[in-house]
Amino acid sequence: MEELKKIGDELLQEITEQLLKIRLDKPDPEHWSQASVPYLQQCLERLYQAMIRYPFAKRTEEIHFFKHIKPAVMAQLIFMCEVHNKEIYRPNSSIDKATRYLVNELVKIDGFFTRNNVLYDYYKEKLDGSDIIFFVRNVKDRFNFRDLPIEVDPVYYYGPKDFSTGLDFMFAKFRAYEMLRDHLEIELEALQITDVPPDELKFTGSPADFVQLVEIFGVKVRPVDPDTGEPMTEQKLFEFLKQAFNPSLPNGLDFNTLKLISGNSDLIEQMSEALKRKYKQWEDEERDIDYRKDEDVPGDGD
């Protein structure tokens, strides 16, 4: 056990240092959470292989591993996945919407702890009376302990049976959700002390490209002018799209003048080629893959 404990302690120290490096390199939560997940998957696999290489000699060693070492690694992986999930649904159109979203997510986390209050109290208060069933892999009765029913985590039945106990995942989730709660509270505080507007769209094409964009909108999706109730004129549509996309254009020009001086555009051709590349990428992702590359496939080459 001493060797396995040493490996676990060294791995946890490495994880702390590596996750800090990732955050410094990718300050945005969406990016550092995504970059951390593959690394943490590798760490979990390394921990599993170490457990196989150094089997437990006593039940107390098994309990320590599944109560303290594995949940510490697994918690980081759960936390990173949850940060990613929260970021992809987080509104960025206004500070008010982002604030309401974060507050709602914090309420959900509190609800999770409330629903699991008995186990969470066991975790928080560092109790050990049920360790011999919570953190041991082979038990006589996983559904009851000393004539009392206990909760069963379905995650136990997924993955290698020798790398999970009844509740090690739940204890990892407690730790992960505590970190997630702290993270969301910091993000909420940051919103409350800043007045930075959301990122603006920026049109990077030429003036001729922007002219063609206005013409495409005019044909396909011309908005209604709120002042008249009628479809926008080209000039009004031009002003509307200028405000939305922030193109780099000469000052003081109306739409007709810009059309005369901007020259030709290949925006439609660029868009068409971009769509073709995207469709090709999707086709490549969806094509079937033959896993039998190095085997003789019946019927092939006969």
Side-chain angles (χ1 to χ4, degrees), residues 98-115:
T99 299
R100 287 196 298 271
Y101 171 80
L102 292 176
V103 169
N104 188 50
E105 293 303 314
L106 286 167
V107 170
K108 291 179 183 177
I109 292 174
D110 287 340
F112 166 76
F113 287 128
T114 300
R115 286 192 306 274

Side-chain angles (χ1 to χ4, degrees), residues 2-245:
E2 285 305 317
E3 190 63 32
L4 182 57
K5 184 177 184 301
K6 177 183 176 184
I7 292 173
D9 291 342
E10 290 175 350
L11 181 60
L12 291 174
Q13 181 61 34
E14 177 196 315
I15 287 173
T16 300
E17 295 171 358
Q18 187 61 30
L19 293 183
L20 177 58
K21 291 179 182 177
I22 292 173
R23 287 205 190 193
L24 292 174
D25 185 52
K26 302 177 184 296
D28 186 88
E30 183 179 358
H31 297 149
W32 56 250
S33 61
Q34 291 177 15
S36 299
V37 168
Y39 166 69
L40 290 167
Q41 284 180 296
Q42 295 172 7
C43 291
L44 205 59
E45 177 62 23
R46 287 163 56 189
L47 191 62
Y48 176 57
Q49 295 302 327
M51 186 199 71
I52 297 298
R53 192 161 61 250
Y54 301 103
F56 306 118
K58 300 177 181 179
R59 185 167 67 177
T60 51
E61 296 176 356
E62 181 179 18
I63 289 172
H64 178 80
F65 180 85
F66 285 107
K67 186 175 184 178
H68 300 291
I69 299 178
K70 184 196 169 189
V73 179
M74 190 71 210
Q76 290 288 354
L77 182 56
I78 297 171
F79 169 67
M80 293 302 173
C81 291
E82 290 293 347
V83 170
H84 164 75
N85 293 341
K86 299 297 179 279
E87 286 298 316
I88 61 176
Y89 293 111
R90 178 174 169 173
N92 59 8
S93 57
S94 75
I95 292 177
D96 286 343
K97 288 182 179 179
T99 299
R100 287 196 298 271
Y101 171 80
L102 292 176
V103 169
N104 188 50
E105 293 303 314
L106 286 167
V107 170
K108 291 179 183 177
I109 292 174
D110 287 340
F112 166 76
F113 287 128
T114 300
R115 286 192 306 274
N116 298 282
N117 66 303
V118 175
L119 287 175
Y120 188 48
D121 287 344
Y122 189 97
Y123 160 83
K124 284 192 303 180
E125 295 171 17
K126 297 180 172 58
L127 303 179
D128 58 12
S130 300
D131 283 1
I132 59 175
I133 193 161
F134 287 172
F135 303 109
V136 175
R137 292 165 296 178
N138 297 314
V139 295
K140 292 181 180 179
D141 187 353
R142 190 163 296 284
F143 302 96
N144 301 279
F145 180 57
R146 294 174 182 168
D147 299 324
L148 295 175
I150 60 172
E151 183 172 342
V152 175
D153 192 336
V155 174
Y156 168 73
Y157 300 98
Y158 180 80
K161 293 298 181 290
D162 58 347
F163 197 46
S164 180
T165 70
L167 287 168
D168 63 286
F169 181 84
M170 179 62 81
F171 274 57
K173 197 169 183 179
F174 287 149
R175 186 181 299 212
Y177 272 41
E178 286 177 341
M179 292 190 291
L180 182 64
R181 180 175 56 194
D182 292 343
H183 166 72
L184 295 180
E185 287 176 350
I186 291 172
E187 291 293 301
L188 186 59
E189 288 175 6
L191 285 179
Q192 293 170 347
I193 63 175
T194 184
D195 196 24
V196 177
D199 293 339
E200 295 182 341
L201 291 173
K202 181 68 177 178
F203 186 84
T204 58
S206 68
D209 292 338
F210 190 73
V211 166
Q212 192 157 57
L213 180 68
V214 174
E215 291 174 338
I216 292 171
F217 266 80
V219 173
K220 299 294 184 181
V221 285
R222 184 175 296 214
V224 171
D225 187 333
D227 296 329
T228 65
E230 301 292 330
M232 287 185 179
T233 62
E234 273 195 336
Q235 179 60 34
K236 196 69 176 280
L237 180 59
F238 169 63
E239 297 295 338
F240 174 77
L241 294 177
K242 250 201 328 185
Q243 185 176 5
F245 291 105

Side-chain angles (χ1 to χ4, degrees), residues 263-286:
N264 297 322
S265 167
D266 61 351
L267 179 63
I268 292 179
E269 289 78 7
Q270 293 179 46
M271 293 170 64
S272 177
E273 287 300 317
L275 285 173
K276 287 178 182 177
R277 289 194 298 271
K278 182 57 68 175
Y279 289 146
K280 179 65 167 56
Q281 176 188 332
W282 291 342
E283 288 173 357
D284 289 342
E285 290 172 352
E286 294 176 1

